[in-house]
Coordinates of all heavy atoms in Angstrom, one line a residue:
M1403 N -75.1 46.2 33.2 CA -74.2 45.4 32.5 C -73.2 46.3 31.7 O -73.6 47.2 31.0 CB -74.8 44.4 31.7 CG -74.0 43.4 30.9 SD -75.1 42.1 30.6 CE -74.0 41.4 29.3
K1404 N -71.9 46.0 31.9 CA -70.8 46.8 31.2 C -70.8 46.3 29.7 O -70.7 45.1 29.5 CB -69.6 46.7 31.9 CG -68.4 47.6 31.3 CD -67.3 47.5 32.3 CE -66.2 48.5 31.8 NZ -65.1 48.6 32.7
K1405 N -70.7 47.1 28.8 CA -70.5 46.8 27.3 C -69.1 47.0 27.1 O -68.4 47.9 27.5 CB -71.3 47.8 26.5 CG -72.9 47.5 26.7 CD -73.6 48.2 25.7 CE -75.1 47.8 26.0 NZ -75.9 48.4 24.8
Y1406 N -68.6 46.2 26.3 CA -67.2 46.2 25.7 C -67.0 46.6 24.3 O -67.8 46.3 23.5 CB -66.5 44.8 25.9 CG -66.4 44.4 27.4 CD1 -67.3 43.5 28.0 CD2 -65.4 44.9 28.1 CE1 -67.2 43.2 29.2 CE2 -65.2 44.4 29.5 CZ -66.2 43.7 30.0 OH -66.1 43.2 31.3
D1407 N -66.0 47.5 24.1 CA -65.8 48.1 22.7 C -64.9 47.1 22.0 O -63.8 47.1 22.5 CB -65.4 49.5 22.8 CG -65.2 50.1 21.4 OD1 -65.4 49.5 20.5 OD2 -64.8 51.3 21.4
A1408 N -65.2 46.5 21.0 CA -64.3 45.6 20.3 C -63.1 46.2 19.8 O -62.2 45.7 19.5 CB -65.1 44.8 19.2
D1409 N -63.3 47.5 19.4 CA -62.2 48.3 18.8 C -61.1 48.5 19.9 O -60.0 48.9 19.4 CB -62.6 49.7 18.3 CG -63.6 49.6 17.1 OD1 -63.5 48.5 16.5 OD2 -64.3 50.5 16.9
K1410 N -61.3 48.2 21.1 CA -60.3 48.6 22.2 C -59.5 47.2 22.4 O -58.6 47.2 23.1 CB -61.0 48.9 23.5 CG -61.9 50.1 23.4 CD -61.0 51.4 23.4 CE -61.9 52.7 23.5 NZ -61.2 53.9 23.3
I1411 N -59.8 46.1 21.8 CA -59.3 44.8 22.0 C -57.9 44.7 21.3 O -57.8 45.2 20.1 CB -60.1 43.6 21.6 CG1 -61.2 43.6 22.4 CG2 -59.2 42.4 21.6 CD1 -62.3 42.6 22.0
V1412 N -56.7 44.5 21.9 CA -55.5 44.4 21.2 C -55.1 42.9 21.2 O -55.2 42.1 22.1 CB -54.4 45.1 22.3 CG1 -53.0 44.9 21.6 CG2 -54.8 46.6 22.6
V1413 N -54.9 42.6 19.9 CA -54.5 41.2 19.7 C -53.0 41.1 19.7 O -52.2 41.7 19.2 CB -55.0 40.6 18.2 CG1 -54.5 39.3 18.0 CG2 -56.5 40.8 18.2
R1414 N -52.5 40.1 20.5 CA -50.9 39.8 20.7 C -50.7 38.6 19.8 O -51.2 37.5 20.2 CB -50.5 39.7 22.0 CG -50.9 40.8 22.9 CD -49.8 41.8 22.9 NE -49.9 42.9 23.9 CZ -50.2 44.0 23.6 NH1 -50.1 44.5 22.5 NH2 -50.3 44.9 24.6
N1415 N -50.0 38.6 18.8 CA -49.7 37.3 18.0 C -48.4 36.9 18.5 O -47.3 37.1 17.8 CB -49.5 37.9 16.4 CG -50.9 38.2 16.0 OD1 -51.9 37.7 16.2 ND2 -50.9 39.1 15.1
W1416 N -48.5 36.1 19.5 CA -47.2 35.5 20.1 C -46.8 34.3 19.2 O -47.7 33.6 18.7 CB -47.7 35.0 21.5 CG -47.9 36.0 22.5 CD1 -49.1 36.7 22.8 CD2 -47.1 36.7 23.4 NE1 -49.0 37.5 23.7 CE2 -47.8 37.5 24.1 CE3 -45.7 36.4 23.6 CZ2 -47.1 38.4 25.1 CZ3 -45.1 37.1 24.6 CH2 -45.7 38.2 25.2
P1417 N -45.5 34.2 19.1 CA -45.0 33.0 18.4 C -45.4 31.8 19.2 O -45.5 31.8 20.5 CB -43.5 33.3 18.4 CG -43.3 34.6 18.7 CD -44.5 35.0 19.5
E1418 N -45.5 30.7 18.5 CA -45.8 29.5 19.2 C -44.6 28.9 20.1 O -43.5 29.4 19.8 CB -46.1 28.3 18.2 CG -47.4 28.5 17.4 CD -47.7 27.2 16.7 OE1 -47.4 26.1 17.0 OE2 -48.2 27.4 15.5
L1419 N -45.0 28.3 21.1 CA -43.9 27.8 22.0 C -43.8 26.4 21.7 O -44.7 25.6 21.5 CB -44.4 27.8 23.4 CG -43.6 27.3 24.6 CD1 -42.3 28.3 24.7 CD2 -44.3 27.4 26.0
H1420 N -42.5 26.0 21.3 CA -42.2 24.6 21.1 C -41.2 24.0 22.0 O -40.2 24.6 22.6 CB -41.3 24.7 19.7 CG -42.3 25.1 18.4 ND1 -43.1 24.4 18.0 CD2 -42.2 26.4 18.0 CE1 -43.7 25.1 17.0 NE2 -43.1 26.3 17.0
E1421 N -41.5 22.8 22.4 CA -40.5 21.9 23.3 C -39.5 21.4 22.3 O -39.7 20.8 21.3 CB -41.3 20.9 23.9 CG -40.4 20.1 24.9 CD -41.1 19.0 25.7 OE1 -42.3 18.9 25.5 OE2 -40.6 18.6 26.7
I1422 N -38.3 21.6 22.7 CA -37.1 21.2 21.9 C -36.3 20.2 22.9 O -36.8 19.7 23.9 CB -36.2 22.2 21.5 CG1 -35.7 23.2 22.8 CG2 -36.9 23.2 20.6 CD1 -34.8 24.3 22.3
V1423 N -35.2 19.7 22.4 CA -34.4 18.5 23.1 C -34.1 19.0 24.6 O -34.1 20.2 25.0 CB -33.1 18.4 22.5 CG1 -33.4 17.7 21.1 CG2 -32.2 19.6 22.3
D1424 N -34.0 18.0 25.4 CA -33.5 18.3 26.8 C -34.6 19.0 27.7 O -34.3 19.7 28.6 CB -32.1 18.9 26.9 CG -31.0 18.2 26.3 OD1 -31.1 17.0 26.2 OD2 -30.1 18.8 25.9
N1425 N -35.8 18.9 27.4 CA -36.9 19.5 27.9 C -36.8 20.9 28.1 O -37.1 21.6 29.0 CB -37.0 18.9 29.4 CG -37.4 17.5 29.5 OD1 -38.2 17.0 28.5 ND2 -36.8 16.7 30.3
R1426 N -36.2 21.6 27.0 CA -36.2 23.1 26.9 C -37.3 23.6 26.0 O -37.9 22.8 25.3 CB -34.9 23.4 26.4 CG -33.7 23.2 27.4 CD -32.3 23.7 27.1 NE -32.0 23.1 25.8 CZ -31.2 23.7 24.8 NH1 -30.6 24.7 25.2 NH2 -31.0 23.1 23.7
W1427 N -37.7 24.9 26.2 CA -38.7 25.4 25.3 C -38.2 26.6 24.5 O -37.4 27.4 25.0 CB -39.7 26.0 26.4 CG -40.5 24.8 27.1 CD1 -40.0 24.4 28.4 CD2 -41.5 24.0 26.7 NE1 -40.8 23.3 28.7 CE2 -41.7 23.1 27.7 CE3 -42.4 24.1 25.6 CZ2 -42.7 22.1 27.7 CZ3 -43.4 23.1 25.6 CH2 -43.6 22.2 26.7
E1428 N -38.8 26.7 23.3 CA -38.2 27.7 22.4 C -39.4 28.6 21.8 O -40.4 28.1 21.6 CB -37.5 27.0 21.3 CG -37.1 27.9 20.0 CD -36.5 27.1 19.1 OE1 -37.3 26.4 18.3 OE2 -35.2 27.2 19.0
R1429 N -39.2 29.8 21.8 CA -40.1 30.8 21.0 C -39.2 31.6 20.2 O -38.2 32.2 20.5 CB -40.8 31.7 22.2 CG -41.9 32.5 21.5 CD -42.6 33.3 22.5 NE -43.8 32.4 23.0 CZ -43.9 32.1 24.3 NH1 -43.2 32.5 25.2 NH2 -44.9 31.3 24.5
I1430 N -39.7 31.7 18.9 CA -38.9 32.5 17.9 C -39.8 33.7 17.4 O -40.9 33.5 16.9 CB -38.7 31.6 16.6 CG1 -37.7 30.4 17.1 CG2 -37.9 32.3 15.5 CD1 -37.5 29.4 16.1
W1431 N -39.3 34.8 17.7 CA -39.8 36.1 17.1 C -39.2 36.5 15.8 O -38.1 36.5 15.7 CB -39.6 37.3 18.2 CG -40.0 37.0 19.6 CD1 -39.5 36.2 20.6 CD2 -41.3 37.4 20.1 NE1 -40.3 36.3 21.6 CE2 -41.4 36.9 21.3 CE3 -42.3 38.1 19.5 CZ2 -42.4 37.1 22.3 CZ3 -43.4 38.3 20.5 CH2 -43.5 37.9 21.7
E1432 N -40.1 36.7 14.9 CA -39.7 37.2 13.6 C -40.0 38.7 13.5 O -41.2 39.1 13.7 CB -40.5 36.6 12.4 CG -40.3 35.1 12.4 CD -39.0 34.5 11.8 OE1 -38.4 35.4 11.1 OE2 -38.7 33.3 12.0
I1433 N -39.0 39.5 13.3 CA -39.1 41.1 13.3 C -38.8 41.7 12.2 O -37.5 41.4 11.6 CB -38.4 41.6 14.6 CG1 -38.7 40.9 15.8 CG2 -38.5 43.1 14.6 CD1 -37.9 41.0 17.0
V1434 N -39.4 42.6 11.6 CA -39.0 43.3 10.3 C -38.9 44.7 10.8 O -39.8 45.4 11.3 CB -40.0 43.1 9.2 CG1 -39.6 44.1 8.1 CG2 -40.3 41.8 8.9
L1435 N -37.6 45.2 10.5 CA -37.4 46.6 11.0 C -37.5 47.6 9.9 O -37.4 47.3 8.7 CB -35.9 46.8 11.5 CG -35.5 45.7 12.6 CD1 -34.0 45.7 12.8 CD2 -36.2 46.0 14.0
S1436 N -37.7 48.9 10.1 CA -37.8 49.8 9.1 C -36.5 50.2 8.5 O -36.4 50.7 7.4 CB -38.5 51.1 9.6 OG -37.8 51.7 10.7
E1437 N -35.4 50.0 9.2 CA -34.0 50.2 8.8 C -33.2 49.1 9.3 O -33.6 48.4 10.3 CB -33.5 51.5 9.5 CG -34.2 52.7 9.0 CD -33.6 54.0 9.6 OE1 -32.5 54.1 10.0 OE2 -34.3 55.0 9.7
Q1438 N -32.1 48.9 8.7 CA -31.1 47.8 9.0 C -30.4 48.1 10.3 O -30.3 49.3 10.5 CB -30.0 47.6 7.9 CG -29.2 46.4 8.2 CD -28.4 46.1 6.9 OE1 -28.6 46.7 5.8 NE2 -27.6 45.1 7.0
V1439 N -30.0 47.2 11.1 CA -29.4 47.4 12.4 C -28.1 48.1 12.0 O -27.3 47.7 11.2 CB -29.0 46.1 13.1 CG1 -28.3 46.4 14.3 CG2 -30.5 45.5 13.6
M1440 N -27.7 49.1 12.8 CA -26.4 49.9 12.5 C -25.2 49.0 12.6 O -25.1 48.0 13.5 CB -26.2 51.1 13.4 CG -27.4 52.1 13.0 SD -27.5 53.4 14.3 CE -25.8 53.8 14.7
N1441 N -24.2 49.1 11.9 CA -23.1 48.3 11.9 C -22.3 48.3 13.3 O -21.7 47.3 13.5 CB -22.0 48.8 10.8 CG -22.5 48.3 9.5 OD1 -23.3 47.4 9.3 ND2 -22.0 49.1 8.4
D1442 N -22.4 49.4 14.0 CA -21.7 49.5 15.3 C -22.4 48.7 16.5 O -21.9 48.6 17.6 CB -21.4 50.9 15.7 CG -22.7 51.7 16.0 OD1 -23.8 51.3 15.4 OD2 -22.5 52.8 16.5
V1443 N -23.6 48.1 16.2 CA -24.3 47.3 17.1 C -23.8 46.0 17.0 O -23.9 45.2 15.9 CB -25.9 47.4 16.8 CG1 -26.5 46.4 17.8 CG2 -26.3 48.8 17.1
V1444 N -23.3 45.4 18.1 CA -22.6 44.0 18.1 C -23.7 43.0 18.6 O -24.0 43.1 20.0 CB -21.4 43.9 19.0 CG1 -20.9 42.5 19.0 CG2 -20.4 44.9 18.4
L1445 N -24.5 42.3 17.8 CA -25.5 41.4 18.3 C -25.2 40.5 19.2 O -25.9 40.1 20.2 CB -26.3 40.8 16.9 CG -27.0 41.8 16.1 CD1 -27.5 41.0 14.9 CD2 -28.0 42.6 16.8
S1446 N -24.0 40.0 19.2 CA -23.5 38.9 20.3 C -23.5 39.7 21.6 O -23.8 39.0 22.7 CB -22.1 38.4 19.9 OG -21.1 39.5 19.9
K1447 N -23.3 40.9 21.7 CA -23.2 41.7 22.9 C -24.7 41.7 23.6 O -25.0 41.7 24.7 CB -22.6 43.0 22.9 CG -21.0 43.0 22.8 CD -20.6 42.6 24.2 CE -19.1 42.7 24.3 NZ -18.5 42.1 25.4
V1448 N -25.5 42.1 22.5 CA -27.1 42.2 22.9 C -27.5 40.9 23.4 O -28.2 40.8 24.4 CB -27.8 42.6 21.7 CG1 -29.3 42.7 21.8 CG2 -27.4 44.0 21.2
E1449 N -27.1 39.8 22.8 CA -27.6 38.5 23.1 C -27.1 38.2 24.5 O -27.9 37.6 25.4 CB -26.9 37.4 22.3 CG -27.5 37.3 20.9 CD -26.8 36.5 19.9 OE1 -25.5 36.1 20.2 OE2 -27.3 36.0 18.9
E1450 N -25.8 38.5 24.9 CA -25.2 38.3 26.1 C -26.0 39.2 27.2 O -26.3 38.6 28.3 CB -23.8 38.7 26.1 CG -23.0 38.5 27.4 CD -21.6 38.8 27.3 OE1 -21.0 38.7 26.1 OE2 -21.0 39.4 28.2
T1451 N -26.2 40.3 26.9 CA -27.0 41.2 27.8 C -28.4 40.6 28.2 O -28.9 40.7 29.3 CB -27.0 42.6 27.2 OG1 -25.7 43.1 27.0 CG2 -27.9 43.6 28.2
L1452 N -29.0 40.1 27.2 CA -30.5 39.8 27.3 C -30.5 38.3 27.9 O -31.6 38.0 28.5 CB -31.2 39.8 26.0 CG -31.3 41.1 25.3 CD1 -32.1 40.8 24.0 CD2 -32.3 41.9 26.2
S1453 N -29.5 37.5 27.7 CA -29.5 36.1 28.3 C -29.2 36.3 29.8 O -28.6 37.1 30.4 CB -28.4 35.3 27.6 OG -28.9 35.2 26.2
N1454 N -29.7 35.1 30.5 CA -29.4 35.0 32.0 C -29.3 33.6 32.3 O -29.3 32.7 31.5 CB -30.4 35.8 32.9 CG -31.8 35.3 32.6 OD1 -32.1 34.0 32.6 ND2 -32.7 36.2 32.6
D1455 N -29.4 33.2 33.7 CA -29.2 31.9 34.0 C -30.3 30.9 33.5 O -30.2 29.7 33.3 CB -29.1 31.8 35.6 CG -27.7 32.3 36.1 OD1 -26.9 32.6 35.4 OD2 -27.9 32.7 37.3
E1456 N -31.4 31.4 33.4 CA -32.7 30.7 32.9 C -32.9 30.8 31.4 O -33.8 30.0 31.0 CB -33.9 31.1 33.7 CG -33.7 30.8 35.2 CD -35.1 31.0 35.9 OE1 -35.8 32.1 35.5 OE2 -35.5 30.3 36.8
I1457 N -32.6 32.0 30.8 CA -33.0 32.2 29.4 C -31.8 32.5 28.5 O -30.9 33.2 28.9 CB -33.9 33.5 29.5 CG1 -35.3 33.1 30.3 CG2 -34.3 33.8 28.1 CD1 -36.0 34.3 30.4
S1458 N -31.8 31.7 27.4 CA -30.8 32.0 26.4 C -31.5 32.8 25.2 O -32.6 32.4 24.7 CB -30.3 30.6 26.1 OG -29.5 30.8 24.8
V1459 N -30.8 33.8 24.7 CA -31.3 34.7 23.6 C -30.4 34.5 22.5 O -29.1 34.8 22.6 CB -31.6 36.1 24.0 CG1 -32.1 37.0 22.8 CG2 -32.6 36.1 25.2
H1460 N -30.8 34.2 21.3 CA -30.0 34.2 20.1 C -30.6 35.1 19.1 O -31.8 35.0 18.8 CB -29.8 32.8 19.7 CG -28.9 32.7 18.4 ND1 -27.6 33.0 18.4 CD2 -29.2 32.4 17.1 CE1 -27.1 32.9 17.1 NE2 -28.2 32.4 16.3
I1461 N -29.8 36.0 18.4 CA -30.3 36.9 17.4 C -29.7 36.7 16.1 O -28.5 36.6 16.0 CB -30.2 38.3 17.8 CG1 -30.8 38.5 19.2 CG2 -30.7 39.3 16.7 CD1 -30.4 40.1 19.8
E1462 N -30.5 36.4 15.0 CA -30.0 36.2 13.7 C -30.5 37.4 12.9 O -31.6 38.0 13.0 CB -30.5 34.9 13.0 CG -30.1 33.7 13.8 CD -30.9 32.5 13.4 OE1 -31.7 32.6 12.4 OE2 -30.5 31.5 13.9
Q1463 N -29.5 38.0 12.0 CA -30.0 39.1 11.2 C -30.0 38.9 9.7 O -28.9 38.2 9.2 CB -29.2 40.4 11.6 CG -29.5 41.5 10.7 CD -28.6 42.8 11.0 OE1 -27.8 42.7 12.0 NE2 -28.7 43.9 10.2
N1464 N -30.9 39.3 9.0 CA -30.7 39.1 7.5 C -31.4 40.4 6.9 O -32.7 40.6 6.9 CB -31.6 37.9 7.0 CG -31.5 37.8 5.5 OD1 -30.8 38.5 4.8 ND2 -32.1 36.7 4.9
D1465 N -30.4 41.5 6.7 CA -30.8 42.7 6.1 C -31.7 43.4 7.2 O -31.3 43.6 8.3 CB -31.6 42.6 4.8 CG -31.8 43.9 4.0 OD1 -30.9 44.8 4.2 OD2 -32.7 44.2 3.4
K1466 N -33.0 43.6 6.9 CA -33.9 44.4 7.9 C -34.7 43.4 8.7 O -35.6 43.8 9.5 CB -34.8 45.3 7.2 CG -34.1 46.5 6.4 CD -35.1 47.4 5.7 CE -34.4 48.4 5.0 NZ -35.4 49.4 4.4
K1467 N -34.4 42.1 8.6 CA -35.2 41.1 9.4 C -34.4 40.7 10.5 O -33.1 40.3 10.3 CB -35.6 40.0 8.5 CG -36.6 40.4 7.3 CD -36.9 39.4 6.5 CE -37.7 39.7 5.4 NZ -38.3 38.7 4.5
L1468 N -34.9 40.5 11.7 CA -34.3 39.9 12.8 C -35.1 38.6 13.2 O -36.4 38.6 13.1 CB -34.2 40.9 14.0 CG -33.3 42.1 13.9 CD1 -33.4 42.9 15.3 CD2 -31.8 41.7 13.7
R1469 N -34.4 37.7 13.6 CA -35.0 36.4 14.2 C -34.4 36.4 15.6 O -33.3 36.2 15.9 CB -34.6 35.3 13.4 CG -35.5 34.0 13.5 CD -35.1 33.1 12.3 NE -36.0 32.1 12.4 CZ -35.6 30.9 12.6 NH1 -34.3 30.5 12.8 NH2 -36.5 29.8 12.8
V1470 N -35.3 36.6 16.6 CA -34.9 36.5 18.1 C -35.5 35.1 18.6 O -36.7 34.9 18.7 CB -35.4 37.7 18.8 CG1 -35.0 37.5 20.3 CG2 -35.0 38.9 18.1
I1471 N -34.5 34.2 19.0 CA -34.8 32.9 19.5 C -34.6 33.0 21.0 O -33.5 33.2 21.5 CB -33.9 31.9 18.9 CG1 -34.2 32.0 17.3 CG2 -34.3 30.5 19.4 CD1 -33.0 31.3 16.5
V1472 N -35.7 32.7 21.8 CA -35.6 32.6 23.2 C -35.9 31.3 23.8 O -36.8 30.7 23.5 CB -36.7 33.6 23.7 CG1 -36.7 33.6 25.3 CG2 -36.6 35.0 23.3
I1473 N -34.8 30.7 24.4 CA -34.9 29.4 25.0 C -34.8 29.2 26.4 O -34.1 30.0 27.0 CB -33.8 28.5 24.3 CG1 -33.9 28.5 22.8 CG2 -33.6 27.1 24.9 CD1 -32.7 27.9 22.1
S1474 N -35.6 28.5 27.1 CA -35.7 28.4 28.6 C -35.9 26.8 28.9 O -36.5 26.2 28.2 CB -36.8 29.2 29.0 OG -36.9 28.9 30.5
E1475 N -35.4 26.6 30.0 CA -35.6 25.2 30.6 C -37.0 25.2 31.1 O -37.5 24.1 31.5 CB -34.5 24.8 31.6 CG -33.2 24.7 31.0 CD -32.0 24.2 31.8 OE1 -32.4 23.8 33.1 OE2 -30.9 24.2 31.5
R1476 N -37.6 26.4 31.6 CA -38.8 26.4 32.1 C -39.9 26.6 31.0 O -39.6 27.1 29.9 CB -39.0 27.7 33.0 CG -38.2 27.5 34.2 CD -38.2 28.6 35.2 NE -39.4 29.3 35.5 CZ -39.6 30.5 35.6 NH1 -38.6 31.3 35.7 NH2 -40.8 31.1 35.7
W1477 N -41.1 26.0 31.4 CA -42.2 26.1 30.4 C -42.4 27.5 30.0 O -42.5 28.4 30.9 CB -43.5 25.4 31.1 CG -44.6 25.4 30.2 CD1 -44.8 24.8 29.1 CD2 -45.8 26.1 30.5 NE1 -46.1 24.9 28.5 CE2 -46.8 25.7 29.4 CE3 -46.5 26.9 31.5 CZ2 -48.0 26.2 29.4 CZ3 -47.8 27.4 31.4 CH2 -48.5 26.9 30.4
G1478 N -42.5 28.0 28.8 CA -42.5 29.5 28.4 C -43.8 30.0 28.6 O -43.9 31.3 28.1
W1479 N -44.8 29.5 29.1 CA -46.0 30.3 29.4 C -46.1 30.8 30.7 O -47.2 31.5 31.1 CB -47.3 29.5 29.0 CG -47.6 29.3 27.5 CD1 -47.4 28.1 26.8 CD2 -47.8 30.5 26.5 NE1 -47.7 28.5 25.4 CE2 -48.0 29.8 25.4 CE3 -47.8 31.8 26.7 CZ2 -48.2 30.6 24.2 CZ3 -48.2 32.5 25.5 CH2 -48.3 31.9 24.3
D1480 N -45.1 30.6 31.6 CA -45.0 31.2 33.0 C -45.1 32.6 32.8 O -44.3 33.2 32.0 CB -43.8 30.7 33.7 CG -43.9 29.2 34.1 OD1 -45.0 28.7 34.1 OD2 -42.7 28.8 34.6
D1481 N -45.8 33.4 33.6 CA -46.0 34.7 33.5 C -44.6 35.6 33.3 O -44.6 36.5 32.5 CB -46.8 35.3 34.5 CG -48.3 35.0 34.6 OD1 -48.8 34.5 33.4 OD2 -49.0 35.1 35.5
D1482 N -43.8 35.2 34.1 CA -42.5 36.0 34.0 C -41.7 35.9 32.8 O -41.2 36.7 32.3 CB -41.6 35.8 35.4 CG -41.3 34.5 35.5 OD1 -41.9 33.4 35.1 OD2 -40.3 34.0 36.1
L1483 N -41.8 34.7 32.2 CA -41.1 34.2 30.9 C -41.9 34.9 29.8 O -41.1 35.4 28.8 CB -41.0 32.8 30.8 CG -40.0 32.0 31.8 CD1 -40.0 30.6 31.5 CD2 -38.7 32.7 31.6
I1484 N -43.1 35.0 29.9 CA -43.8 35.7 28.8 C -43.4 37.1 28.7 O -43.1 37.6 27.7 CB -45.4 35.6 28.9 CG1 -45.8 34.2 28.8 CG2 -46.0 36.5 28.1 CD1 -47.3 33.9 29.0
W1485 N -43.6 37.8 29.8 CA -43.2 39.1 29.9 C -41.8 39.4 29.7 O -41.4 40.5 29.0 CB -43.7 39.9 31.1 CG -45.1 39.9 31.3 CD1 -46.0 39.3 31.9 CD2 -46.0 40.7 30.3 NE1 -47.3 39.6 31.7 CE2 -47.4 40.5 30.7 CE3 -45.7 41.5 29.3 CZ2 -48.4 41.0 30.1 CZ3 -46.7 42.2 28.7 CH2 -48.0 41.9 29.0
Y1486 N -40.8 38.7 29.9 CA -39.5 38.6 29.6 C -39.3 38.8 28.2 O -38.6 39.7 27.6 CB -38.6 37.7 30.3 CG -37.2 37.8 30.0 CD1 -36.4 38.7 30.7 CD2 -36.7 37.0 28.9 CE1 -35.0 38.8 30.3 CE2 -35.2 37.2 28.6 CZ -34.4 38.2 29.4 OH -33.1 38.2 29.1
S1487 N -39.8 37.7 27.4 CA -39.7 37.7 26.0 C -40.3 38.9 25.3 O -39.8 39.4 24.4 CB -40.5 36.4 25.5 OG -39.8 35.2 25.9
Y1488 N -41.5 39.4 25.9 CA -42.1 40.5 25.3 C -41.3 41.8 25.4 O -41.2 42.6 24.5 CB -43.6 40.6 25.9 CG -44.4 41.7 25.3 CD1 -44.9 41.5 24.0 CD2 -44.4 42.9 26.0 CE1 -45.7 42.6 23.4 CE2 -45.4 43.8 25.4 CZ -46.0 43.6 24.3 OH -46.7 44.8 23.7
T1489 N -40.9 41.9 26.6 CA -40.1 43.2 27.0 C -38.8 43.3 26.2 O -38.2 44.4 26.1 CB -40.1 43.5 28.4 OG1 -39.4 42.5 29.1 CG2 -41.4 43.7 29.0
I1490 N -38.2 42.2 25.9 CA -36.8 42.3 25.3 C -36.9 42.9 23.9 O -36.0 43.5 23.3 CB -36.1 41.1 25.2 CG1 -36.7 40.0 24.2 CG2 -35.8 40.4 26.6 CD1 -36.0 38.7 23.9
L1491 N -38.1 42.9 23.4 CA -38.3 43.5 22.0 C -38.4 45.0 22.1 O -38.1 45.6 21.2 CB -39.6 42.9 21.3 CG -39.6 41.3 21.3 CD1 -40.8 40.9 20.7 CD2 -38.4 40.8 20.5

């Protein structure tokens, strides 16, 4: 029988998934940075790059804190949407 080492377990604190209007799903990531985002970074361009036909990404900044809102028409626990949300960070 194989033994498992509890120290090797990685806990992922995923934000809750919420159903919002029009049968869409939203997950909000709260991120605290070690430094403020540089002034030459245009967050609207980052949002545009990360969004696609199925997923809308909105980023709010307050000093060193970012709020990344991911909205999809598909249920947010589908494997590809989970990994998409995770990898954009």
Side-chain angles (χ1 to χ4, degrees):
M1403 186 167 161
K1404 188 173 183 173
K1405 293 187 177 186
Y1406 295 95
D1407 183 357
D1409 294 334
K1410 304 273 183 197
I1411 296 173
V1412 177
V1413 176
R1414 303 272 190 242
N1415 292 326
W1416 291 87
E1418 286 189 40
L1419 181 67
H1420 298 280
E1421 187 172 7
I1422 57 176
V1423 296
D1424 300 334
N1425 297 321
R1426 294 182 302 154
W1427 297 89
E1428 172 185 77
R1429 180 173 278 123
I1430 300 173
W1431 299 85
E1432 303 277 345
I1433 304 164
V1434 178
L1435 305 172
S1436 59
E1437 296 180 25
Q1438 190 170 350
V1439 175
M1440 295 170 38
N1441 290 337
D1442 61 342
V1443 175
V1444 180
L1445 291 179
S1446 61
K1447 286 287 190 189
V1448 176
E1449 292 171 340
E1450 184 179 321
T1451 301
L1452 295 175
S1453 297
N1454 61 38
D1455 292 340
E1456 292 187 323
I1457 297 171
S1458 170
V1459 177
H1460 178 68
I1461 303 171
E1462 300 170 355
Q1463 179 181 356
N1464 183 3
D1465 194 30
K1466 294 181 184 178
K1467 295 179 183 178
L1468 290 180
R1469 201 164 181 247
V1470 180
I1471 303 164
V1472 180
I1473 297 175
S1474 172
E1475 292 183 12
R1476 290 176 42 207
W1477 183 61
W1479 284 115
D1480 287 345
D1481 288 346
D1482 58 332
L1483 293 179
I1484 289 173
W1485 288 113
Y1486 180 83
S1487 293
Y1488 183 73
T1489 57
I1490 67 173
L1491 304 177

